[in-house]
Amino acid sequence: MKKLIFSLALLVSAFSQAQNNTCYWQQHVDYDMNVDMNVENYRYTGTQELVYTNNSPDTLNKVYYHMFFNAFQPGSEMDRRLQDIKDPDGRMVNNKGDRQNPDYESRIAKLKEDEIGYLRATSLTQDGKKVETEEEETILIVHLAEPILPGKSTTFKMEFEGQVPVQIRRSGRNNADGVALSMTQWYPKLAEYDFEGWHADPYIAREFHGVWGDFDVTINIDKDYIIGGTGVLQNPEEIGYGYEEKGTKVKHKGKKLAWNFKAEKVHDFAWAADPDFIHDKLETESGVMLHFLYKDDPKVTEAWKKIQPETAKLLAFFNKHIGPYPWPQYSVIQGGDGGMEYAMCTLITGGEDYNSLLGTTAHEFAHSWFQQLLATNESEHPWMDEGFTTYISGLAQKTIKGTSGNPFAGSYRGYNYIATSGAEQPQTTHGDRYDINTAYSIAAYSKGAVFLAQLGYIIGQENLAKTLNRYYDEWKFKHPTPNDFIRVAEKVSGAELHWYLTDWTETTNQIDYAINSVEEAENGTKVTLERKGLMPMPVEVTVTLNDGSKKLYYMPLRMMRWEKPAEGDVERIVKEDWPWAYPTYDLEIDTPKANIKSIEIDESQLMADVNRSNNTYGQVDSE
């Protein structure tokens, strides 16, 4: 009987461990592609050998490919969305009206047959066996010849053909700056499968999610064209154009050059090409080689030269404040339709306005960490890459420029605008499902940046800095979720923070704390505070006396089960916790009312209070 009981105990223990197994896994893919580009008609053909490893616990009976270029055709989902949304992306439409009375026309709807984009698989096999496929615009459904078992790999061989669309969004030919080819989202890309299942989202102009892997890509193109992009060029002595070692003589043979790039541990591959590119290189202190490719145009060359040492400074800042850039090179390339990040490179338009070029470069380079290295699902959690990038690039520019003030003030203004407009949607909204583009942009960029800046208010700046470093250490080369990030912040600080993630990202609850009254009290002054909004926060109140001295009163939020460490030189008095369910709180101050010059909730202005007009009493000094 004892043996039976012992065996049952072991079985229950093993079952319990299995039920609580939260072991992380992710898929892996290796691409070997050879592409031939015709620069006369902007059509290309290619072969792709793709080795897919199923690291999931599931048996897969189908896979999906993204065929992004099919979005650039009249009648596509992207085209239809442009015609229905109230505030379409200005780059993608023609306004036949004026600013006050716009009349938008989709540029995709006007594309001719030789201007559209397309991407087609002309043949596809799995381990030598033909597979059945269905094309649903930007998604290719593949019914497997044989299931892929957990832990097993399979090889897909595909022949494909495509046409580069007129530049409308991110990808395309002959953009506004005259760059011939901006080749992004250009190849058949396997969709991601993770603990949530398949992410075969149609392409409707938002961003991306991809499988980690290695790329070996050969691009055959007219010998006069210069390429920059993802990966490290493997045959620089055959290519030249500034990639070769100094002193090497390069002689081009034939009409085309075969550019061979390799990139390890990335989840995308992009490139751009133009016959008039200038190519500059800058080796940084960390050993990373920076490449700059831009048009030989006197209107922009000065800014593109000036940005080069600043990019090296940005690299050093991000290496310190996030973690070391892990790849051997990074390319800043003139191309695309604004600024967009890709693996080991970015495409940026412009250059006539240096400050704009610097700001865009800072933002896009920061994406090498927040999304290219810490590869969140941008479709579901765009605020985790756009917001975190906005936060860290704002800090970087402040440091490099030596400016003062709050670098996130614009993000706070943007958030406050949407929060009080009635048009806000929760940050958990899928990127494609925002009612208006403005709501998407502010949720992703502004509210996402405020998430981090405000977290510094909640747990302290030192803890926030440590959180970013540890987040990098624990989640680089992976696919972190919002909960993964907030758990890192909890482990670093010791605070309970799930409430913050829930209220800020899953609801549109607002923060609004107010000073209701200031009264004489037996032992000083009683300040009655009120929580008017639904979202809880720890509260800091700064009391400035007539002699100019200050005291900081800190009321921890009970559900955090923790209090923030003291920061700065101002005397801090920690009061009793403020439980969320209590709408008011009586703050006792041991100073007579007559001696008080001012009282202010959140002097730092890092708490995203939607109505700061009720945050002050008395004469508050403005900075």
Side-chain angles (χ1 to χ4, degrees):
M1 185 67 178
K2 288 182 179 179
K3 287 185 178 180
L4 177 60
I5 293 172
F6 181 68
S7 297
L8 286 171
L10 283 176
L11 182 61
V12 170
S13 174
F15 180 76
S16 175
Q17 290 181 19
Q19 291 298 298
N20 289 283
N21 181 8
T22 56
C23 182
Y24 176 84
W25 56 267
Q26 66 187 32
Q27 307 293 64
H28 183 85
V29 66
D30 291 319
Y31 289 87
D32 190 334
M33 293 190 284
N34 193 299
V35 182
D36 188 82
M37 172 61 72
N38 184 330
V39 298
E40 299 298 325
N41 60 13
Y42 303 103
R43 293 178 182 173
Y44 59 102
T45 58
T47 60
Q48 181 189 88
E49 181 173 312
L50 188 156
V51 181
Y52 183 53
T53 302
N54 179 17
N55 293 317
S56 82
D58 307 319
T59 297
L60 304 180
N61 293 301
K62 63 177 70 172
V63 300
Y64 301 86
Y65 284 82
H66 295 282
M67 312 293 273
F68 295 110
F69 272 6
N70 294 336
F72 299 101
Q73 298 177 17
S76 69
E77 287 192 68
M78 188 187 289
D79 177 30
R80 183 67 205 186
R81 183 62 174 150
L82 284 172
Q83 297 176 44
D84 290 343
I85 198 165
K86 298 173 185 176
D87 59 341
D89 187 322
R91 292 166 291 193
M92 302 176 71
V93 294
N94 299 315
N95 185 0
K96 296 189 296 181
D98 53 34
R99 189 171 182 178
Q100 286 71 33
N101 298 289
D103 180 12
Y104 297 117
E105 174 185 73
S106 165
R107 290 179 59 208
I108 296 177
K110 307 297 288 184
L111 291 177
K112 300 174 184 176
E113 194 65 25
D114 62 349
E115 296 175 328
I116 65 170
Y118 62 74
L119 185 56
R120 304 165 183 152
T122 54
S123 70
L124 179 60
T125 61
Q126 178 197 2
D127 297 327
K129 298 178 182 178
K130 189 175 180 180
V131 295
E132 292 185 10
T133 63
E134 300 174 58
E135 185 179 293
E136 292 184 348
E137 198 176 286
T138 60
I139 299 297
L140 182 70
I141 306 168
V142 180
H143 300 277
L144 299 178
E146 296 290 340
I148 312 173
L149 300 178
K152 299 299 181 180
S153 298
T154 194
T155 300
F156 297 103
K157 290 186 177 180
M158 180 190 291
E159 294 180 357
F160 62 92
E161 62 182 15
Q163 179 170 285
V164 186
V166 168
Q167 179 80 41
I168 290 179
R169 187 70 182 104
R170 296 196 174 100
S171 301
R173 67 203 205 216
N174 302 320
N175 79 341
D177 287 0
V179 176
L181 292 166
S182 298
M183 297 297 289
T184 61
Q185 293 81 245
W186 61 276
Y187 63 95
K189 180 178 179 180
L190 198 71
E192 178 65 286
Y193 181 83
D194 62 17
F195 71 101
E196 293 180 321
W198 284 104
H199 295 276
D201 295 317
Y203 185 36
I204 313 179
R206 295 295 185 218
E207 299 188 19
F208 313 100
H209 193 33
V211 190
W212 284 104
D214 299 337
F215 286 75
D216 186 336
V217 180
T218 298
I219 303 164
N220 300 278
I221 195 168
D222 185 286
K223 66 181 181 181
D224 293 331
Y225 279 65
I226 304 166
I227 295 178
T230 303
V232 176
L233 186 64
Q234 301 298 297
N235 55 339
E237 70 287 346
E238 298 173 12
I239 299 298
Y241 288 126
Y243 286 98
E244 77 281 11
E245 291 290 333
K246 284 186 177 180
T248 303
K249 292 184 178 180
V250 179
K251 188 175 181 180
H252 296 151
K253 299 178 181 179
K255 295 181 178 180
K256 288 190 173 184
L257 294 178
W259 298 63
N260 179 220
F261 292 93
K262 288 186 178 180
E264 297 179 352
K265 299 177 77 171
V266 296
H267 49 87
D268 200 7
F269 190 99
W271 56 283
D274 192 271
D276 295 323
F277 270 157
I278 295 173
H279 174 210
D280 295 330
K281 293 190 296 188
L282 176 63
E283 186 171 3
T284 64
E285 291 184 3
S286 64
V288 175
M289 183 66 76
L290 298 176
H291 296 267
F292 300 86
L293 294 102
Y294 52 96
K295 295 281 285 187
D296 187 3
D297 181 347
K299 292 184 295 185
V300 304
T301 51
E302 181 180 352
W304 278 88
K305 294 286 186 185
K306 188 178 178 181
I307 199 69
Q308 296 176 23
E310 302 307 296
T311 307
K313 294 176 185 177
L314 289 167
L315 173 63
F317 185 92
F318 298 144
N319 281 344
K320 177 180 178 181
H321 293 279
I322 312 173
Y325 180 84
W327 296 289
Q329 75 91 11
Y330 183 77
S331 298
V332 185
I333 308 167
Q334 189 176 11
D337 63 354
M340 180 62 192
E341 74 280 359
Y342 299 98
M344 300 166 66
C345 68
T346 182
L347 272 62
I348 299 173
T349 51
E352 292 185 50
D353 183 339
Y354 170 74
N355 287 326
S356 175
L357 182 61
L358 174 61
T360 307
T361 302
H363 182 89
E364 303 308 337
F365 198 1
H367 272 303
S368 291
W369 286 262
F370 295 128
Q371 211 283 320
Q372 296 302 328
L373 182 58
L374 296 151
T376 53
N377 182 346
E378 294 176 285
S379 296
E380 292 190 359
H381 316 296
W383 62 273
M384 286 191 73
D385 74 293
E386 295 297 356
F388 285 23
T389 292
T390 300
Y391 172 85
I392 203 68
S393 61
L395 276 184
Q397 288 185 83
K398 178 182 178 181
T399 300
I400 290 171
K401 292 180 178 179
T403 56
S404 59
N406 181 358
F408 321 114
S411 294
Y412 278 84
R413 286 193 298 271
Y415 163 69
N416 195 76
Y417 166 78
I418 201 70
T420 57
S421 70
E424 185 184 11
Q425 293 174 248
Q427 284 182 309
T428 48
T429 304
H430 189 283
D432 289 331
R433 253 79 84 194
Y434 280 85
D435 185 46
I436 56 175
N437 274 320
T438 301
Y440 165 81
S441 297
I442 293 178
Y445 292 79
S446 300
K447 192 175 181 181
V450 173
F451 175 88
L452 276 189
Q454 187 168 244
L455 183 60
Y457 165 83
I458 294 169
I459 65 174
Q461 299 304 322
E462 184 177 345
N463 278 328
L464 176 59
K466 290 179 179 178
T467 294
L468 292 176
N469 288 146
R470 184 163 174 176
Y471 179 51
Y472 169 94
D473 290 336
E474 292 190 10
W475 288 99
K476 60 181 181 293
F477 300 114
K478 296 179 182 177
H479 292 300
T481 67
N483 191 64
D484 295 323
F485 177 79
I486 210 67
R487 288 292 293 124
V488 171
E490 288 184 325
K491 287 183 282 187
V492 167
S493 66
E496 296 293 322
L497 296 168
H498 188 71
W499 62 271
Y500 180 54
L501 181 67
T502 299
D503 275 61
W504 191 254
T505 68
E506 297 178 15
T507 78
T508 56
N509 292 345
Q510 296 177 358
I511 301 166
D512 185 9
Y513 284 85
I515 297 173
N516 259 5
S517 62
V518 179
E519 302 172 350
E520 294 281 2
E522 183 177 348
N523 296 314
T525 304
K526 183 179 80 171
V527 181
T528 301
L529 306 172
E530 181 181 2
R531 175 185 55 76
K532 300 173 78 71
L534 282 173
M535 183 165 174
M537 288 292 283
V539 177
E540 295 179 348
V541 174
T542 300
V543 177
T544 302
L545 305 183
N546 292 332
D547 63 5
S549 62
K550 293 185 177 183
K551 292 183 180 181
L552 179 66
Y553 291 85
Y554 173 63
M555 284 133 282
L557 179 65
R558 178 175 289 179
M559 66 178 72
M560 289 177 66
R561 319 296 176 197
W562 178 87
E563 64 184 53
K564 180 172 71 172
E567 296 179 312
D569 300 327
V570 177
E571 178 187 356
R572 189 179 79 150
I573 300 96
V574 180
K575 307 297 282 188
E576 290 186 10
D577 293 354
W578 186 345
W580 172 83
Y582 289 83
T584 61
Y585 184 103
D586 289 336
L587 171 62
E588 301 289 343
I589 297 174
D590 60 354
T591 302
K593 182 179 177 182
N595 292 347
I596 295 175
K597 179 183 179 183
S598 66
I599 303 172
E600 182 174 10
I601 297 174
D602 179 34
E603 185 183 45
S604 72
Q605 299 195 15
L606 290 176
M607 186 170 72
D609 194 309
V610 296
N611 180 15
R612 301 197 68 86
S613 66
N614 55 22
N615 285 27
T616 59
Y617 162 85
Q619 186 179 347
V620 175
D621 295 330
S622 59
E623 295 185 4

